[in-house]
Amino acid sequence: MLKKETKPGRKPGKKFWLLLTAAILALTVAAFFIVRPLIKGNTAAAQTTAAVTRGSIIRTIEGSGVISANDQYTVSSLVTGEVLADHFEEGDTVQEGDLLYEIDSSDLDYNLQKAESSISTARLSYEESLETLDNMTVTAPISGVLSSLSVKEGDELSAGKQVAEIISSDRMVLSLCFLTSDAQMLHPGDPASVVPENSPSQTLSGTVKSVATGSIANSLGVAVTNVEILVDNPGGLQNGGRATATVDTYACNEAGTFSYEDTETVTVKTGGTVTGLSLRAGDRVTAGTVLFTLTSDSTSRSIERSRITYNDAVSGYNNTYDQLDDYRITAPISGKVIQKSVKAGDKLESGSGGNASSMAIIADLSILTFEMSVDELDIAEIEEGQAVQITADAVEGKRFTGHVDNVSIVGTTSNGVTSYPVKVVLDGAENAELIPGMNVSATIITEQKENVLLIPASAVSRGNLVAVKGTKPTDAATEAPKATPEELPSGGSTAVESDSARMNRKAADIAMRTDAPEGFYYVQIETGITDGTYIEVISGLSEGNVILLPSSAGDASTVMQFTPNAQNAMMGGMPGMGGGMPGMSGGGMSGGMRR
């Protein structure tokens, strides 16, 4: 069987592919010129603009906190027992020192009585010890002459030992009898004349010391009365000497006998070793003169023990007495009673679970504060005295004011972010409806400007560029000015531009850009503060200028894709895109709390 032979088909030539490529290119160019006007028309229709206006702008930092009182005190009791009385109610305003509670103190009263008895016993013992200490210094009881001294340095003496005798011989006492009838006419203090028997030619002056109230019969059976007369001793009168006396016109019945006015025997009242003895028999002493001292270790120890026992008893009593204050509880601060958990009739029990752990809470509401945390990126903007606006969900529809009172430099770090506590004080807290424990939101005003140029922050793209409606400046207007001789570097070289020349040239380059949407041209502006919605314009725009907003940014970007400078447009960035909020003068939402 014969096979039918078939010839292969002819492949298209090179010329065919050239014609096909040219046709496709022609269609593409035609589509560009047809579609571009349509796109531009749609973009222009969707453009959103805004005018440059004047107004006020406020820069703020936000936070939250919990209201607390300036001072708050929990009233508690250190003792147990029945509450006999309370003198306040919840909600009352009390002053520091006001009596709040009275607690039964009968057990303490008994302890006070025991402490008083202990003091009395210890005091007696201590006073006896002090007397013993005084007795260890032996002194002359009277002025006179040491007629005898029976001890020497280093002698060991026991209590009751007689150690010396002192005679007062400066004055003598003459004891004699007068007829009772005459004696009745005599009185103490009457002057007397005394004639010693051993010197009858000498008359001494004397004074009646005493007159007896009774009488006795002498050897002749005559009633006589004893009379004592004091006489200054000129030196010759001796104990036992005799003399007669006359008082006024009355003479004694018979001679009497002289005796020393005073004689004392010195006896030690406590035992010890004699030290400090420097006197001898015959020496004259005056009343109070130290004759010698006694030392005794056992006596010193006994005295010290008595002193310690007495001091301990006094301290014990004082401690017990001070506890009386614990049974009368007073207000520790002035303020409002915001809680009362114990009333009269309740019993305070021991242990942490008893009522004594918390009886009432007093808060000083004259100043209300709260603390808010501020991010480390924002803390440098916070200063004492800055105004704060405050709201609370619990007080709906009302706004309060305050001020920054303190900015702490001790921060808290969590997840690599540090925040710092800022204390805020409310203004006029006494009249506020806020109370401790309420949650509040706060806005700190860090900066505020009035009557400045403002535009929506979203209109500013990277590089602080703003699309302004109108015709771009002419070439002459945008031509970069040449550097003046003052702007040239030293030596006159023009190889380096001055800063002002460079800035002028840059502004001209921006104005000459052709990638702006139709009917707009780019302007570089200088910005100030922002509140997140609006931004301050310091220079570059004038009031009334119309600018393009980013609501049409998507359409404008479509146009820029077909412009010769599309690459420059993309490098310039989209309004409101790359880099966050451009031109926000350190703004943005750093920390998540800044506005």
Side-chain angles (χ1 to χ4, degrees):
M1 185 173 178
L2 296 176
K3 290 184 179 180
K4 187 176 179 178
E5 183 178 342
T6 60
K7 296 181 179 180
R10 187 176 182 180
K11 295 183 179 179
K14 182 177 181 181
K15 183 178 181 179
F16 171 81
W17 292 110
L18 291 174
L19 291 175
L20 180 61
T21 300
I24 293 174
L25 181 59
L27 289 174
T28 301
V29 174
F32 172 77
F33 287 101
I34 294 174
V35 175
R36 182 182 180 189
L38 295 176
I39 295 176
K40 280 192 173 184
N42 292 336
T43 300
Q47 287 175 347
T48 302
T49 60
V52 179
T53 60
R54 285 192 175 274
S56 301
I57 188 168
I58 300 176
R59 179 173 177 77
T60 61
I61 294 176
E62 297 180 345
S64 61
V66 179
I67 294 291
S68 62
N70 179 51
D71 192 8
Q72 184 168 306
Y73 194 93
T74 299
V75 179
S76 58
S77 174
L78 300 176
V79 298
T80 61
E82 182 181 356
V83 178
L84 300 179
D86 57 49
H87 301 279
F88 69 99
E89 296 297 334
E90 188 169 300
D92 287 353
T93 297
V94 297
Q95 300 299 318
E96 181 178 355
D98 285 353
L99 181 62
L100 302 179
Y101 292 102
E102 294 181 70
I103 303 172
D104 182 16
S105 61
S106 55
D107 290 343
L108 184 65
D109 294 339
Y110 174 73
N111 292 335
L112 278 175
Q113 292 177 0
K114 291 176 59 179
E116 288 178 348
S117 298
S118 298
I119 285 181
S120 298
T121 302
R123 181 187 294 114
L124 290 175
S125 176
Y126 185 48
E127 289 175 351
E128 290 175 355
S129 297
L130 293 179
E131 289 180 2
T132 301
L133 181 62
D134 290 340
N135 293 334
M136 296 184 74
T137 300
V138 182
T139 61
I142 61 172
S143 296
V145 176
L146 281 171
S147 63
S148 65
L149 183 63
S150 59
V151 297
K152 61 182 182 296
E153 184 80 9
D155 284 353
E156 292 288 338
L157 304 180
S158 58
K161 172 72 174 178
Q162 292 183 358
V163 295
E165 186 173 4
I166 301 174
I167 298 173
S168 177
S169 60
D170 292 338
R171 291 200 301 179
M172 307 294 286
V173 177
L174 177 62
S175 297
L176 39 61
C177 293
F178 280 76
L179 294 174
T180 300
S181 59
D182 292 341
Q184 291 176 352
M185 306 302 294
L186 307 181
H187 303 88
D190 289 345
S193 297
V194 176
V195 178
E197 284 186 344
N198 62 355
S199 182
S201 62
Q202 183 180 16
T203 301
L204 304 176
S205 297
T207 304
V208 176
K209 178 181 179 182
S210 65
V211 178
T213 58
S215 64
I216 58 173
N218 62 10
S219 59
L220 300 175
V222 178
V224 294
T225 298
N226 189 58
V227 175
E228 289 185 339
I229 298 175
L230 281 175
V231 181
D232 290 335
N233 189 354
L237 302 180
Q238 296 181 353
N239 190 42
R242 294 179 63 80
T244 59
T246 302
V247 179
D248 198 9
T249 60
Y250 305 102
C252 62
N253 180 259
E254 58 182 334
T257 305
F258 282 113
S259 63
Y260 296 119
E261 179 188 20
D262 199 0
T263 301
E264 289 285 344
T265 299
V266 180
T267 304
V268 295
K269 298 179 180 180
T270 186
T273 303
V274 176
T275 61
L277 178 63
S278 60
L279 299 173
R280 294 188 296 262
D283 287 343
R284 176 173 287 276
V285 296
T286 58
T289 299
V290 175
L291 304 181
F292 56 87
T293 58
L294 298 172
T295 60
S296 171
D297 291 341
S298 61
T299 301
S300 298
R301 288 192 295 268
S302 177
I303 293 172
E304 181 64 14
R305 282 194 297 269
S306 297
R307 185 189 67 80
I308 293 174
T309 301
Y310 174 70
N311 289 340
D312 288 345
V314 172
S315 296
Y317 176 83
N318 290 337
N319 291 337
T320 304
Y321 185 83
D322 289 342
Q323 292 178 26
L324 282 175
D325 292 339
D326 297 335
Y327 290 83
R328 292 173 56 85
I329 300 177
T330 58
I333 61 173
S334 298
K336 184 177 183 179
V337 180
I338 61 176
Q339 181 180 337
K340 178 183 179 181
S341 53
V342 172
K343 63 183 184 304
D346 291 346
K347 288 188 177 181
L348 303 178
E349 305 294 342
S350 61
S352 58
N355 291 330
S357 60
S358 176
M359 302 176 70
I361 298 177
I362 301 174
D364 177 8
L365 303 181
S366 60
I367 299 178
L368 295 181
T369 67
F370 65 89
E371 193 174 89
M372 57 184 286
S373 295
V374 176
D375 188 273
E376 59 184 316
L377 300 178
D378 297 327
I379 194 64
E381 300 182 29
I382 306 298
E383 298 177 357
E384 293 182 6
Q386 288 176 331
V388 183
Q389 297 177 348
I390 304 162
T391 59
D393 292 340
V395 187
E396 190 174 355
K398 196 163 185 179
R399 187 179 296 271
F400 305 91
T401 61
H403 62 275
V404 175
D405 181 68
N406 181 65
V407 181
S408 176
I409 61 174
V410 180
T412 302
T413 302
S414 178
N415 298 325
V417 178
T418 302
S419 59
Y420 295 84
V422 174
K423 181 182 178 181
V424 177
V425 174
L426 272 72
D427 299 332
E430 292 180 336
N431 300 320
E433 299 176 46
L434 301 175
I435 60 176
M438 284 187 176
N439 295 291
V440 294
S441 298
T443 301
I444 301 177
I445 301 174
T446 60
E447 191 173 3
Q448 182 173 359
K449 291 187 177 181
E450 304 288 341
N451 194 30
V452 295
L453 293 179
L454 300 175
I455 62 173
S458 59
V460 184
S461 60
R462 183 183 301 177
N464 281 5
L465 298 183
V466 176
V468 183
K469 187 174 184 179
T471 304
K472 65 183 177 180
T474 63
D475 292 344
T478 59
E479 182 180 358
K482 296 180 180 179
T484 64
E486 291 77 7
E487 297 171 327
L488 294 176
S490 61
S493 174
T494 58
V496 180
E497 289 182 300
S498 67
D499 290 341
S500 60
R502 188 182 302 108
M503 293 177 61
N504 289 335
R505 182 177 57 78
K506 185 176 180 181
D509 291 344
I510 292 171
M512 292 298 293
R513 285 177 57 167
T514 59
D515 56 0
E518 187 174 353
F520 293 84
Y521 66 97
Y522 283 118
V523 172
Q524 187 176 44
I525 65 173
E526 182 182 357
T527 63
I529 67 173
T530 180
D531 61 4
T533 302
Y534 290 91
I535 191 169
E536 175 193 5
V537 178
I538 297 177
S539 65
L541 293 175
S542 300
E543 185 176 2
N545 284 155
V546 178
I547 59 175
L548 184 64
L549 298 184
S551 58
S552 57
D555 300 320
S557 65
T558 304
V559 174
M560 285 189 282
Q561 290 176 19
F562 294 93
T563 61
N565 294 327
Q567 183 178 2
N568 293 338
M570 294 302 292
M571 292 296 291
M574 299 296 293
M577 296 292 287
M581 300 293 288
M584 291 179 68
S585 184
M589 300 293 284
S590 59
M593 301 302 289
R594 182 190 292 177
R595 292 189 56 198

